[in-house]
Amino acid sequence: MMTKQSEEENYLIGRQPILNRDEDLIAYELLFRSAASRTHAEFSDVTHASASVILNTLSGFGLEQMIGKNKAFINLDQKMLMGDAIELLPRERVVLELLESAVISPELITRCRELKEAGFTLALDDHSFNPIYKELYEIVHIIKIDLMQTPPERLDEMVKSFREYPVKLLAEKVETRDIYMQCHALGFEYFQGYYFAKPTLMEKKRIDEAGTILLKLIRLLLNDSEIEEIERAFRSSPGLTYKLLLLVNSVSLGFKEQIETVRHAIALLGRQRLKRWVQLALFVSEKQPGLENPLVELAGSRATFMEQLAIRHPQLKTNRNSPDQAFMIGILSLLEAIYHISLDEVVASLNLTYEFKEALLTKSGTLGAILELAELFERSFSKMTLEHFKKAGFSQDQVLDAIKKSQNWKTELA
């Protein structure tokens, strides 16, 4: 039986299908869930709930795993809509759903117009026709009508009012086939509700990081620090490295370039997107064990050891990217032990090169051989172990120097 503590260590998101007039799946609404409210949305801070859904989707599950080739409807209060964190979202894959609590204002109209011009799709949630929203109706793409709050006798009149504007209508909380057929006849374009499917709970083991690392990252980004400094901050955190790679895949789903190093991932993502993600992560992060975690210590030590071996390897020392690649493989190889994520899942969820996949799963290739040597060293170190290193092309002094640097990996990062 899952305890409350173990539930809080998981990513939780509700997901409900949205269908078109042919009853084809076209999107999912992503809903806030927590250990205290696994079947419904229960929260005291709407902004926090929205931030959690965005962060958990992008760098917890990964957008592809959550919605496949469909779109994601994400609820936003006015504060989140006015902020720039939402610009982290891939605009072609999401629908920004403005909650009914939003207050109409010139600032809101201007912001919605900016987002539309930037390529975002906008929707109004739980909405009833009101002339004061006339200017907003000219901007948004979709209006969701809550059938539990709208009397059936008012539907026809409301639909006619909305038809004066370039919007599509979504019938929300469709409970029965009769209600679905009525809305279909009235010309609703989209449908969502228990008649089709109840929200399902998506759950995944949480990978959170100490707030100090996130604070350090945001400070580096705000100071426009060199990419080497940003890379070092990620190197101190195996979980954050994994989340970075997931994020690159989430916001660049159509991007075919394979990730080779942490620096490569940062470059693909870009400073601005990275800054927004770190700000969001900081907003919803929970205090977790940091560098003092023994498994994190092992990951840092292994990764540094592999990096030092790559610098000295006869076949790799001429490739300037090899040390970074070896370091990342060392980090990823221990995610299963640290966060209970199988290597198969790691490989499936990250756009890694074939060489990386084979190194992690079968320890084949040059990088795989270095991983195997690192694991051999961790189990024991003797004259027999040293012979394995010599066969791989390393001298005794090279191995001892790599060991020394790996034991001081925190100093090396600093």
Side-chain angles (χ1 to χ4, degrees), residues 26 107 153 295 355:
I26 54 99
E107 293 77 18
E153 60 272 14
L295 284 170
E355 184 183 13

Side-chain angles (χ1 to χ4, degrees), residues 126-130 137 143-147 149-165 167 169-170 186 188:
D126 294 347
H127 196 74
S128 296
F129 181 81
N130 190 322
Y137 295 156
I143 292 176
K144 299 181 72 173
I145 298 177
D146 188 333
L147 301 181
Q149 298 179 7
T150 306
E153 60 272 14
R154 283 197 57 207
L155 268 180
D156 190 21
E157 176 189 352
M158 189 178 296
V159 170
K160 288 179 181 176
S161 298
F162 281 127
R163 289 309 178 199
E164 297 181 20
Y165 302 94
V167 298
L169 300 181
L170 188 156
L186 287 172
F188 278 79

Side-chain angles (χ1 to χ4, degrees), residues 209-389:
E209 296 306 319
T212 52
I213 296 174
L214 291 168
L215 284 170
K216 180 179 180 180
L217 267 172
I218 194 61
R219 186 166 61 249
L220 291 172
L221 289 164
L222 289 173
N223 292 336
D224 201 26
S225 299
E226 295 295 326
I227 195 169
E228 289 82 4
E229 293 184 78
I230 297 170
E231 182 184 15
R232 279 198 294 272
F234 274 100
R235 284 179 165 217
S236 68
S237 171
L240 205 59
T241 298
Y242 176 65
K243 291 167 79 171
L244 168 69
L245 301 181
L246 267 182
L247 178 61
V248 171
N249 288 323
S250 288
V251 301
S252 306
L253 290 173
F255 204 71
K256 301 302 182 185
E257 189 169 351
Q258 292 178 313
I259 301 167
E260 297 178 353
T261 67
V262 170
R263 183 178 301 190
H264 188 192
I266 294 171
L268 288 180
L269 190 62
R271 286 176 179 266
Q272 191 62 20
R273 273 178 165 170
L274 182 62
K275 186 189 300 181
R276 287 168 182 153
W277 176 74
V278 172
Q279 288 171 329
L280 202 57
L282 185 63
F283 183 67
V284 299
S285 68
E286 298 174 10
K287 189 176 181 180
Q288 296 288 333
L291 299 182
E292 304 312 314
N293 184 327
L295 284 170
V296 174
E297 175 75 39
L298 175 59
S301 177
R302 176 185 292 184
T304 304
F305 184 55
M306 290 181 60
E307 174 189 48
Q308 295 301 316
L309 291 181
I311 291 172
R312 297 159 175 79
H313 193 279
Q315 296 175 21
L316 297 178
K317 62 184 180 182
T318 57
N319 182 351
R320 65 179 184 178
N321 289 325
S322 291
D324 291 336
Q325 292 170 348
F327 188 96
M328 191 164 84
I329 286 176
I331 289 288
L332 296 179
S333 68
L334 277 163
L335 283 176
E336 186 169 18
I338 299 175
Y339 298 110
H340 310 293
I341 298 174
S342 71
L343 286 179
D344 285 331
E345 183 178 350
V346 170
V347 167
S349 60
L350 302 178
N351 187 26
L352 301 176
T353 64
Y354 176 79
E355 184 183 13
F356 271 41
K357 292 176 183 178
E358 291 302 297
L360 284 168
L361 296 177
T362 65
K363 295 185 178 62
S364 60
T366 308
L367 291 171
I370 288 180
L371 174 59
E372 194 165 30
L373 287 172
E375 292 179 346
L376 179 66
F377 161 67
E378 289 164 7
R379 288 193 293 270
S380 65
F381 188 68
S382 62
K383 288 184 178 179
M384 188 177 297
T385 310
L386 195 56
E387 286 301 316
H388 287 280
F389 283 90

